[in-house]
Amino acid sequence: MALQRTFSIIKPDATRRNLTGAVIKKLEDGGLRIIASKRIQLTREKAEGFYAVHSERPFFGELVDFMISEPVVVQVLEGENAVARNREIMGATNPEEADAGTIRKEFAIDIGENSVHGSDSLENAKIEIEYFFNDAEVVG
Ligand code: ATP
Ligand code: MG
């Protein structure tokens, strides 16, 4: 077991429906600590940069439009095996395939509007945390 940090976004479908607290409760109940958090409005440029790895995918335009449609909450989560643990708590990308009790099963609208993002590796977690937070904002 290893103490890790991962990066999380509460997406616009969740902030719009006043589910910020409900999502955070799932993360905390799942054993993760929120060690940095801020509600922000993403710019198109910032969202395109964040999802650059998906820029050739057919849903890229739709994804960016969605991510800038309402504010998001960006967070750093810490805990044992936080990268994998967060993805377990989130559930599968497509909520129809997500396990019972996961954030996406309970709250997501569809595969596009799926309530949360979570880093997919420790390496990407570090990159994504640095994309949104400076050292002084991550307070442990
Ligand atoms: P995220 O990166 O947001 O945590 P993920 O790692 O489960 O999600 P990815 O394959 O990285 O899934 O896709 C990134 C995001 O792109 C998804 O969360 C979803 O919002 C959107 N997306 C993925 N596949 C589709 C699709 N087929 N149609 C529409 N949107 C999609
Ligand atoms: Mg991903």
Side-chain angles (χ1 to χ4, degrees), residues 2 4 24 29-30 33 38 42 56-57 59 66-67 70 74 88 90 92 98 100 116 119-120:
Q4 295 178 345
I24 289 173
D29 286 350
R33 293 184 69 81
K38 56 188 175 187
L42 284 174
E56 302 304 317
R57 308 276 284 274
F59 57 80
F66 165 59
M67 291 299 289
E70 299 268 348
V74 291
E88 276 174 21
M90 289 163 54
V116 278
S119 307
D120 59 11

Side-chain angles (χ1 to χ4, degrees), residues 11 51 54 57 59 62-63 66 87 90-93 104 111-114 116-120:
K11 294 184 178 182
Y51 278 120
H54 295 308
R57 308 276 284 274
F59 57 80
E62 188 187 329
L63 174 60
F66 165 59
R87 289 184 69 92
M90 289 163 54
T93 309
R104 284 168 167 166
I111 193 172
E113 302 200 19
N114 62 2
V116 278
H117 160 83
S119 307
D120 59 11

